[in-house]
Every structure is written in C-alpha cells, then in structure tokens.
Amino acid sequence: MVNNKKNILIIGSKEYFTLENMYFRAFKTLGNKVDFFHTYNIRKKLIESFFWKFFRFIFFYFYQEKLLNFLINNKKKYDLIIVFKGIFMNKKKLIRCKNFTKNTIWINIFSDDPFNINYFSDISNKDVIKTIKYYDYFLIWSKRIVNKLKKKNSKKKIIYLPFGYDEFIHKKNRILKTPKYDLSFIGTADDFRISLLKKIKKYKIIVAGDGWNRITMPSNIFTCPKANAKQCSKIIQNSKISLNILRKQNYGSHNMKTFEIVSMNGLMLTNRSKEQNYFFPENRSCFMYGSQNEMLKKIDFLVNNYNKMLKIIRKGNQLSRAHSYRNRAKYILNEIF
C-alpha cells in the first residue's frame, strides 16, 4: 500500500452524484490533498441543453482555455491529475496542459465506451480516441474494452477499473419485512426499459430517474423522476426486488448499479453477465436472467419468496464491502505509484 499522501487534481463535474465527486470524497478520506476543477454541469436546463447539443464545440474550447489558464496560474504542484472522460479535450490542448505540469502523472477515468462516437451525445467523440495515447494511464470499467484498447495502445497504459459504491451515498439500509413495492428500477428512461417494465403487469413497481415524468405508464407503475440519493436509497429499501437493466454497452460486464444496489441491501435482479457473476455470484448474492421470459419467472419467484431471500441480500452486501470507491482509490494509487 502507498503510504505517502499525494497532491491530486480532479477534473470533471462537481455535482454531488457524479463519479468524479465520489472519487474526490474517496481520495480525501485516504488523507490525500485533493483539489477539484469543475468543468460543466451534467444536468442542464432546457435552453442550455439546446445550445449544448448543437454548439458544444464552442463550450469545449472555453473549457480547454479555462483549464489551461488554471494550470498556468496555479502554483501548486500535483502528483496526479485525474480527468474524468474529458470529452471536451483535444490532443493539442492536452499536450499543452501536460507541458505546464512537468513530473505530474495524467490519467483518464472513462465511464462509458470510448468507441461509441457520436458528436450529439456525451458518450465519446473522435478527440477522445486521439488523446488516449497522450495520457500516462487510461482506466476503464470493462474488460472487453480494456482488451480492445490494448490492441491499439501501449498495454501498460490501459488499466481495468470496475465501478463501485460511495460510502457517503450508498449506505447499508435496514432490511424491511414488508416492503411497499414489489419491484423498483432506478435509471434513465429509454424505449427498451419502458417496453420491458410494461411487460411486468402483476406487481407494484416504482421507477426513478430522468425522463420518467414524460412517460405515461400503466397504473401499477409509480414514478419518482429525478430522485436524489436519499430518495433512491429509500426506494431500494422499500422494494422486494431491485431491477438492474444493463444497457447494450454493458452487456457481459457491469454498471454502477451493480455495486450500489447490493451496498444498500437491495435484492438485485440483473442481466446475466460474466463480470457481475464474478463480483456477486448468481443465486448466492443476487439473481440474474438471460431473457425476458426468465426475468418474468424470476420476478414471480422472488416476490412470492421474498422472506426466504434475506440470506442472499446479506451475502451480497457483505461482498460489496470490498468495492467501495475508497478501495478503488487505494488500487489506483498502488497501480500508478
């Protein structure tokens, strides 16, 4: 374990719920000196979203200049600078930033698929691919993407870094004997998730997250749009089953909810995947499905046998303890220093 504390600069969105803020709290908990350079808010107002969609290249230029000026004028020397995704950064500006921070290690923690390039989304873009080789290390959550990146870049630069849970946000809930809801789902609304949830007709469901307030759902599905961390915790506590629907880019891998649900004592039902099964073995610490038909059968079984599942819930929570972002932060420091 690294004993000497580091001076760290985190670059990203400082909104409370972001991954970068979770790591900010984790590194500080370990005793490091951590500064935060806020780039932009992920959640935007309607008019702001419109200009962002079509003119983000102007915003990107502004953020690059703002960061460069900060590094030029800031007299503090950092051991480590961590860029979260960095979709606003291009190769030329990254090189200039690095020239003003000699002897500083630059890493990128990327929380999406860098190969999913679309100018009109916040997932990735061509500049992300071009800048990868200029970071000292590039850390990513998927083993599949790790292998793909290693074929195109120096192998020592690419590090597998799974998601985790935040000890400040995702706290262990007391298990209720009679939860209010049969099933919950927390996540952004999209066509696939809407269609899937509408197939679950017999049970009382609550959904939370962006977009659900714009959707008309059947009477058995209640919505809690834009729920904060405390509300999400209560939703999981008040649900017999916490459904985790992986998106296409996460198939075979995992997502943030993989760790967050079980860390809050939720009974997770999720897509069957190799990585999730490694962290939380199926039928011992969570449940998985490989098709919609299997999902519906598992829901029937779990709702009607919830009181027999407490051992599974406790086992999942026990296993989750190793996967806090504080432990992820320790891992990063050990790998790099």
Side-chain angles (χ1 to χ4, degrees):
M1 172 62 197
V2 178
N3 292 317
N4 55 325
K5 306 306 178 185
K6 303 298 180 184
N7 288 327
I8 300 172
L9 174 66
I10 288 178
I11 299 172
S13 170
K14 209 173 188 304
E15 290 163 289
Y16 186 76
F17 61 88
T18 63
L19 182 63
E20 42 265 57
N21 218 339
M22 294 181 195
Y23 270 106
F24 174 76
R25 293 187 283 268
F27 279 114
K28 287 197 74 171
T29 300
L30 294 174
N32 299 284
K33 295 180 180 179
V34 191
D35 291 339
F36 205 121
F37 180 87
H38 176 70
T39 50
Y40 54 86
N41 287 339
I42 293 172
R43 288 181 175 166
K44 299 174 178 64
K45 295 178 180 178
L46 187 61
I47 187 67
E48 192 180 7
S49 296
F50 171 81
F51 285 106
W52 178 263
K53 182 175 182 179
F54 296 102
F55 302 105
R56 68 185 67 203
F57 66 94
I58 299 174
F59 291 97
F60 286 177
Y61 175 80
F62 171 76
Y63 300 139
Q64 291 166 14
E65 290 299 309
K66 182 181 173 183
L67 174 60
L68 186 60
N69 289 331
F70 171 82
L71 295 173
I72 292 171
N73 297 319
N74 186 12
K75 304 303 180 184
K76 186 179 290 188
K77 292 184 177 180
Y78 294 105
D79 302 299
L80 180 64
I81 293 179
I82 307 175
V83 179
F84 280 81
K85 290 191 65 173
I87 62 171
F88 68 93
M89 184 68 76
N90 63 34
K91 180 183 76 172
K92 183 179 178 180
K93 282 292 167 54
L94 176 58
I95 292 172
R96 287 195 66 192
C97 287
K98 291 188 73 176
N99 286 338
F100 283 103
T101 54
K102 298 292 186 183
N103 302 315
T104 298
I105 295 173
W106 281 69
I107 72 173
N108 186 315
I109 295 179
F110 206 87
S111 56
D112 275 309
D113 182 351
F115 296 104
N116 188 357
I117 295 172
N118 183 344
Y119 174 80
F120 292 103
S121 76
D122 288 335
I123 296 175
S124 186
N125 55 51
K126 292 179 181 178
D127 281 327
V128 168
I129 300 298
K130 291 176 182 178
T131 57
I132 289 175
K133 67 179 181 180
Y134 294 96
Y135 287 101
D136 297 298
Y137 296 93
F138 195 87
L139 287 66
I140 196 156
W141 51 275
S142 164
K143 287 186 176 180
R144 176 185 61 81
I145 299 175
V146 164
N147 292 333
K148 192 173 180 179
L149 286 168
K150 283 184 175 180
K151 292 178 181 178
K152 300 176 180 292
N153 301 274
S154 170
K155 291 186 178 182
K156 70 176 183 179
K157 293 168 62 80
I158 312 301
I159 297 175
Y160 175 59
L161 180 69
F163 292 118
Y165 75 94
D166 185 341
E167 293 168 303
F168 293 88
I169 295 177
H170 310 116
K171 296 182 179 180
K172 181 179 178 180
N173 284 319
R174 178 174 60 87
I175 300 174
L176 302 181
K177 291 184 178 179
T178 54
K180 183 177 179 180
Y181 301 98
D182 296 309
L183 183 79
S184 65
F185 173 74
I186 298 172
T188 303
D190 62 32
D191 290 342
F192 177 75
R193 289 168 169 178
I194 294 165
S195 173
L196 189 66
L197 288 167
K198 283 183 176 180
K199 289 180 170 62
I200 309 168
K201 301 181 183 300
K202 296 192 295 183
Y203 300 112
K204 193 175 181 180
I205 302 170
I206 183 167
V207 296
D210 292 340
W212 293 106
N213 59 325
R214 299 190 294 271
I215 309 298
T216 301
M217 299 298 284
S219 59
N220 66 312
I221 301 179
F222 302 83
T223 59
C224 182
K226 296 186 178 180
N228 60 30
K230 189 173 181 180
Q231 288 171 316
C232 288
S233 178
K234 289 296 180 185
I235 287 171
I236 287 173
Q237 185 183 34
N238 274 286
S239 306
K240 291 181 178 180
I241 304 166
S242 295
L243 186 62
N244 181 24
I245 306 170
L246 297 184
R247 281 184 157 154
K248 188 175 181 179
Q249 73 171 22
N250 303 95
Y251 287 172
S253 185
H254 67 283
N255 62 8
M256 296 177 77
K257 291 291 184 295
T258 301
F259 300 98
E260 294 169 359
I261 288 171
V262 292
S263 72
M264 292 187 281
N265 261 341
L267 179 61
M268 182 169 67
L269 175 61
T270 185
N271 304 78
R272 187 170 289 110
S273 75
K274 186 175 181 180
E275 285 184 31
Q276 288 191 120
N277 193 59
Y278 172 79
F279 297 121
F280 303 104
E282 183 178 2
N283 300 326
R284 288 177 48 210
S285 54
C286 73
F287 289 90
M288 299 184 186
Y289 62 88
S291 66
Q292 291 184 17
N293 188 48
E294 185 181 6
M295 179 196 75
L296 295 173
K297 288 181 179 178
K298 289 280 177 73
I299 290 171
D300 282 338
F301 173 76
L302 294 173
V303 167
N304 293 305
N305 292 276
Y306 171 73
N307 290 323
K308 298 177 182 177
M309 297 298 122
L310 303 188
K311 185 177 179 180
I312 304 287
I313 295 172
R314 293 189 181 102
K315 182 63 177 178
N317 184 267
Q318 177 191 340
L319 292 174
S320 75
R321 296 301 106 187
H323 302 292
S324 67
Y325 283 116
R326 182 163 52 134
N327 284 333
R328 297 286 188 252
K330 289 180 185 178
Y331 171 74
I332 292 170
L333 295 177
N334 283 329
E335 284 292 306
I336 292 173
F337 296 101

